[in-house]
Amino acid sequence: MKLTEKINMDYNGLVENGPITIVAFGDSITHGALATDEFNYETVYWNLLKQKILSVRNYVPINVINAGIGGITAKRSLGRIESQVLCHHPDLVIVCFGLNDVNGSLEDYLSSLKTIFMRCKENGAEVIFMTPNMLNTYVAEDTEEPLRNYACVTAKMQNEGKMDLYIESAVRTAIDCGIKVCDCYSKWKELSKTEDITMLLTNRINHPKAQMHHLFADMLFDTIFEDADVISNSVDSAMYNGYNLI
């Protein structure tokens, strides 16, 4: 049963099928990382998504499993699919990798994503590939000293198009695998035309500010329920509009 069907379950449906289970599978963004050694599991996108879904209909419980680990890649996550994702028998798996994968080979990134997509589908889960945010575009003056050298590397990867290549290739891979895409990266690219992206990153490298997680949550919500009857005209999809970006 699809998540958009389970959200409308009555008492008998809930007894038969149980609550909705979502697994968020990714890196530091999913983990809940903000500044160095700072984590917030209240403002992270998957918790905001849960709250947004419950604001539409709160009868059916929603359990979200956080399977994000800071600093990890899709390739290094292959060995934990069974124990940290599939064992929960999720209705939906949100896959978000790329920020660390860009340091490795494109082939490893794409082949690993493909394996993740296929394993989740074989397990009967719906899958959404959520593209991450942009990297920094320059080394900010307030970048912490231990991070400054890496900030030079990430800015180069962003400015010279390597990050674009990885994410665009990942989107094509997801589509080829029949996976629905929530392309948040493209929204960040649009935002970069008018906003200083580096200042929207708490560590000035790759961790978006807490308020920017609303963009992820809102886009995921729209991706999940784009064709569902449960959506009403009274639901406000705010995106990042109205938030204090800086």
Side-chain angles (χ1 to χ4, degrees), residues 5 12 65 89 92 96 103 121 133 144 163 173 181-182 228:
E5 297 171 337
N12 292 328
I65 309 299
H89 304 289
L92 171 66
C96 183
N103 293 296
K121 286 182 67 176
N133 50 272
E144 296 181 17
M163 190 64 179
T173 297
V181 176
C182 178

Side-chain angles (χ1 to χ4, degrees), residues 82-228:
E82 195 67 43
S83 62
Q84 298 180 28
V85 179
L86 303 183
C87 66
H88 300 292
H89 304 289
D91 298 292
L92 171 66
V93 179
I94 301 167
V95 178
C96 183
F97 292 98
L99 295 176
N100 302 309
D101 304 81
V102 72
N103 293 296
S105 76
L106 180 59
E107 181 181 358
D108 283 347
Y109 177 44
L110 300 181
S111 63
S112 299
L113 283 179
K114 186 174 182 179
T115 298
I116 293 170
F117 296 152
M118 292 299 99
R119 289 290 292 113
C120 292
K121 286 182 67 176
E122 290 167 0
N123 196 63
E126 292 183 77
V127 185
I128 291 177
F129 174 54
M130 185 182 83
T131 57
N133 50 272
M134 291 173 59
L135 300 170
N136 60 303
T137 58
Y138 63 93
V139 181
E141 291 184 3
D142 59 348
T143 304
E144 296 181 17
E145 187 59 39
L147 301 177
R148 294 185 72 85
N149 287 338
Y150 185 53
C152 291
V153 174
T154 50
K156 182 177 181 180
M157 290 191 292
Q158 184 65 66
N159 294 330
E160 295 185 358
K162 186 175 182 181
M163 190 64 179
D164 289 353
L165 172 64
Y166 273 54
I167 300 305
E168 290 167 4
S169 300
V171 168
R172 288 195 297 271
T173 297
I175 293 173
D176 289 344
C177 291
I179 301 300
K180 188 175 291 188
V181 176
C182 178
D183 194 3
C184 297
Y185 186 80
S186 66
K187 293 297 182 182
W188 277 76
K189 292 287 287 186
E190 290 181 18
L191 191 60
S192 70
K193 298 174 183 177
T194 57
E195 298 288 340
D196 184 342
I197 291 299
T198 303
M199 289 295 106
L200 299 182
L201 304 171
T202 56
N203 63 352
R204 302 298 189 249
I205 294 176
N206 54 14
H207 295 167
K209 286 187 171 183
Q211 59 265 45
M212 293 307 296
H213 278 262
H214 285 272
L215 184 152
F216 296 127
D218 288 346
M219 289 191 67
L220 279 169
F221 181 89
D222 291 342
T223 300
I224 293 168
F225 293 105
E226 59 183 351
D227 298 318

